[in-house]
Amino acid sequence: KKAADRVDLEKQKAGIRSEIGHTKKELADAYNSLGRMYYDAKVNNTEMPTEQLTLGQITEKENTIKELNDKLDALGK
């Protein structure tokens, strides 16, 4: 029973770590998109129409990563 509980705990931790990795990739993509928008806006002297949407996505991903890390800490990393 104790070994099965340990295996289940490790599975949970691995799942959370995987989700953190996936979310970090999405976050990097959002930062990349924001950088491209900024560059295009500066070079072409235009507005960044989806800036607020992208900033919202970045904030959401940052919060998700924090929550997942907190969850992982609660499980004892």
Side-chain angles (χ1 to χ4, degrees):
K1 169 101 172 104
K2 193 167 186 145
D5 289 345
R6 182 72 181 162
V7 168
D8 184 50
L9 179 63
E10 291 306 318
K11 277 181 166 177
Q12 286 179 346
K13 289 179 186 179
I16 292 170
R17 286 186 195 107
S18 175
E19 196 173 343
I20 290 170
H22 179 73
T23 305
K24 282 183 176 182
K25 184 187 178 324
E26 291 176 340
L27 179 61
D29 292 344
Y31 275 121
N32 191 21
S33 176
L34 182 63
R36 267 193 276 248
M37 272 191 285
Y38 179 79
Y39 174 80
D40 288 343
K42 287 297 182 183
V43 168
N44 299 316
N45 199 27
T46 59
E47 295 293 317
M48 296 182 355
T50 59
E51 175 184 19
Q52 290 305 313
L53 176 65
T54 303
L55 290 173
Q57 289 172 339
I58 289 170
T59 301
E60 177 188 332
K61 299 299 177 195
E62 290 281 2
N63 290 337
T64 299
I65 290 169
K66 183 186 179 321
E67 290 169 9
L68 289 168
N69 277 319
D70 290 346
K71 204 185 264 190
L72 193 57
D73 286 343
L75 292 175
K77 278 198 179 180

